Amino acid sequence: MTHWFHRNPLKATAPVSFNYYGVVTGPSASKICNDLRSSRARLLELFTDLSCNPEMMKNAADSYFSLLQGFINSLDDSTQESKLRYIQNFKWTDTLQGQVPSAQQDAVFELISMGFNVALWYTKYASRLAGKENITEDEAKEVHRSLKIAAGIFKHLKESHIPKLITPAEKGRDLESRLIEAYVIQCQAEAQEVTIARAIELKHAPGLIAALAYETANFYQKADHTLSSLEPAFSAKWRKYLHLKMCFYTAYAYCYHGQTLLASDKCGEAIRSLQEAEKLYAKAEALCKEYGETKGPGPTVKPSGHLFFRKLGNLVKNTLEKCQRENGFIYFQKIPTEAPQLELKANYGLVEPVPFEFPPTSAQWTPETLAAFDLTKRPKDDSTKPKPEEEVKPVKEPDIKPQKDTGCYIS
C-alpha cells in the first residue's frame, strides 16, 4: 500500500486545573476534579505518543469524557443541563488559524474540541500505519477502520453537539460547519483509497476499480468545494491537496475505464480515455508542485516524488501504449475527439463513517457528589474570564519521516 495524506496540525489547548476553591465542599467532588485533571492530561499526552494505539486512545478518551459528562448533562436523564456546564473557561486553537485560541466558558465546547482532536489522532494514526514498509492485510484494515472512525466522530460532533453551543463557531474555525464537513468527506475519500489499493492488489475487474476511483475523486471534489468560500490564506494548501487528489483519482478512473473499453473491443474509445488519464495525471503533477510551494498548515513535501504517484504515471503510460499498439495492428478504430463521459457507480466498497457516541456519565457522579459543588460560594471576582489574545503553546508533534519506498508522508 502506498498512500500519502495531507494532515493539518493538532489543536492545542491551555491547561485546566479543575480547582474550584470554596465551591468544592466534599471529598467525592474533590476526587472528580482530580480525576478530570489527570485524565485530561493523560489524553493530551497520548495525542503525541507514538506507542499509542486505538485501544489506548479509546480507553483514555472514554475515561475523560465520562467524567466531563457530569459537567454537561443532568444526572436524572432529563433534558436539563448540569449546573456545572458554565463553571470553567476552556481555550483551544484551531487547525488552520495559528496559535490564537478560541475561548468559551462552556463544557460542551471542551467536549467538542477534545473530541475533534481524538478524530484528528485517528487520521494521523492511519497515516502513520499506512507509511510502514510491507504493511500487512490486518494493518491495512486498521488504516481503513481508523479513517472511518474519525469520519464518524467528526459527523457526530457536527450533527449532535455543535448545535448545542451557546456561542456559535466563528467563520474559519474548526467547529464551523464547512470545515468539519470537509474533514468528514476527506476521511471517507482516504478510506476509499485503501479500498482501491486492495481492489487493485486482488485484481478486481477494471470496471469496479474505475467506479471506486471516480467516486473517490467526487469525494475530493466535494470536500474542496466545501472549503471554497474560506479565506485562502488559511485553506489554500489543504485545497491544493484536495484538488490534486481529485485530478489523481479521476485519472485513475479514466485509466481503468480505458481497460474496460479495450476488453469490449472499443480500442479507439479506450485510447481517448487513456489520453484523458494522461492529461489529468499531468495536471495532478503540476498541482503537486504547487502544493509543495504553497504556504499554510500541513507538511512541506513533494508528493509527485512519492511511489503512490509514480505508479499511476507508469500504469497510464503502459496501458496507453498497449492500446495504441493493438489499434495499429488489430482494430484500426478512429479515436474520438471527446473523452468518454464517466457515469460510473460503484456497487461495492463505498465508505460510510462508523457511528460514534460519547460514553455515558461516569458512575462517580451521584446526586450527593453533584450537591458537593456549591456554586453559591464562587468568588465574585471570576478570574476564569477569557483572554482572547493569550497564546496557547502549540502541540509538539513527532517528526516522522516516511520509510523507504512507501510513498507516505506523515505529518
Side-chain angles (χ1 to χ4, degrees):
M1 184 194 297
T2 55
H3 297 292
W4 163 72
F5 302 135
H6 169 94
R7 291 290 175 259
N8 292 325
L10 286 165
K11 294 165 74 67
T13 182
V16 179
S17 68
F18 294 101
N19 286 331
Y20 307 114
Y21 301 110
V23 173
V24 172
T25 62
S28 59
S30 181
K31 183 177 188 312
I32 276 190
C33 290
N34 288 335
D35 289 350
L36 273 164
R37 182 169 58 250
S38 60
S39 61
R40 187 180 198 262
R42 172 64 179 152
L43 185 51
L44 292 172
E45 281 173 12
L46 285 181
F47 288 144
T48 55
D49 183 348
L50 293 182
S51 67
C52 181
N53 59 41
E55 185 182 2
M56 292 166 66
M57 177 54 62
K58 185 180 187 319
N59 290 341
D62 283 356
S63 174
Y64 178 59
F65 291 137
S66 66
L67 289 166
L68 188 65
Q69 294 279 28
F71 274 45
I72 297 169
N73 302 316
S74 67
L75 298 182
D76 58 4
D77 292 327
S78 72
T79 54
Q80 284 188 316
E81 62 191 28
S82 168
K83 68 180 184 180
L84 303 175
R85 177 173 170 179
Y86 307 106
I87 195 173
Q88 176 68 52
N89 186 57
F90 297 95
K91 296 189 187 78
W92 283 90
T93 63
D94 293 270
T95 54
L96 300 183
Q97 299 270 358
Q99 293 308 308
V100 177
S102 299
Q104 289 197 33
Q105 192 141 332
D106 187 347
V108 172
F109 178 67
E110 167 74 356
L111 184 83
I112 295 165
S113 300
M114 190 68 86
F116 197 103
N117 245 19
V118 171
L120 284 178
W121 178 88
Y122 274 101
T123 70
K124 287 171 182 271
Y125 175 76
S127 280
R128 189 162 72 242
L129 199 56
K132 287 180 65 176
E133 286 188 63
N134 305 318
I135 184 168
T136 65
E137 183 181 338
D138 285 344
E139 287 169 335
K141 286 178 180 175
E142 195 159 0
V143 171
H144 193 252
R145 180 164 176 78
S146 294
L147 289 166
K148 292 196 296 180
I149 289 171
I153 296 172
F154 286 129
K155 186 170 186 281
H156 181 65
L157 295 176
K158 178 176 181 264
E159 293 175 355
S160 302
H161 296 279
I162 290 174
K164 294 177 184 174
L165 286 172
I166 303 299
T167 307
E170 297 169 40
K171 288 185 177 180
R173 298 286 185 177
D174 287 339
L175 309 189
E176 200 223 323
S177 61
R178 289 174 299 179
L179 263 83
I180 203 157
E181 180 66 11
Y183 276 113
V184 173
I185 300 166
Q186 181 180 333
C187 288
Q188 288 177 273
E190 290 175 348
Q192 280 190 193
E193 289 192 48
V194 181
T195 305
I196 292 166
R198 182 71 175 155
I200 292 169
E201 188 182 335
L202 296 177
K203 295 182 168 55
H204 278 293
L208 173 61
I209 296 168
L212 282 170
Y214 184 59
E215 300 267 20
T216 303
N218 286 341
F219 267 136
Y220 279 118
Q221 184 177 33
K222 186 180 174 185
D224 179 53
H225 180 72
T226 303
L227 297 175
S228 61
S229 55
L230 283 180
E231 180 63 45
F234 300 121
S235 64
K237 195 175 188 76
W238 191 7
R239 289 193 63 201
K240 285 283 184 219
Y241 166 77
L242 298 170
H243 196 189
L244 80 85
K245 281 289 184 86
M246 181 195 74
C247 289
F248 182 80
Y249 278 98
T250 310
Y252 244 121
Y254 272 111
C255 179
Y256 278 92
H257 186 55
Q259 292 183 27
T260 305
L261 291 168
L262 181 61
S264 306
D265 296 326
K266 296 177 181 177
C267 196
E269 290 179 48
I271 290 172
R272 187 63 189 86
S273 191
L274 266 299
Q275 287 173 340
E276 195 67 15
E278 197 172 46
K279 187 172 91 176
L280 284 158
Y281 180 78
K283 186 176 179 183
E285 195 166 29
L287 283 165
C288 283
K289 186 180 179 186
E290 290 175 27
Y291 173 87
E293 294 169 351
T294 303
K295 292 181 179 178
T300 303
V301 64
K302 294 179 180 175
S304 58
H306 287 289
L307 185 60
F308 96 98
F309 196 87
R310 299 197 311 270
K311 278 176 79 172
L312 176 61
N314 291 332
L315 181 65
V316 170
K317 179 174 175 286
N318 294 338
T319 310
L320 178 56
E321 286 174 357
K322 178 187 175 185
C323 290
Q324 288 169 332
R325 277 197 311 272
E326 298 206 6
N327 203 44
F329 281 111
I330 304 168
Y331 295 102
F332 304 104
Q333 291 175 2
K334 187 179 177 183
I335 299 164
T337 53
E338 294 292 321
Q341 286 294 310
L342 292 179
E343 296 176 356
L344 307 171
K345 195 76 184 164
N347 297 318
Y348 310 98
L350 293 177
V351 167
E352 286 297 326
V354 171
F356 175 81
E357 292 284 342
F358 283 107
T361 306
S362 167
Q364 284 182 242
W365 283 102
T366 64
E368 293 74 27
T369 304
L370 188 61
F373 287 88
D374 187 351
L375 295 183
T376 63
K377 296 182 179 177
R378 288 179 79 181
K380 289 184 180 178
D381 178 23
D382 193 347
S383 61
T384 61
K385 287 181 181 175
K387 300 172 187 175
E389 297 307 313
E390 183 178 322
E391 285 208 344
V392 172
K393 290 180 182 177
V395 179
K396 290 184 178 177
E397 300 192 46
D399 179 25
I400 308 165
K401 294 182 179 176
Q403 297 176 38
K404 184 181 175 185
D405 267 348
T406 65
C408 301
Y409 182 90
I410 316 303
S411 62

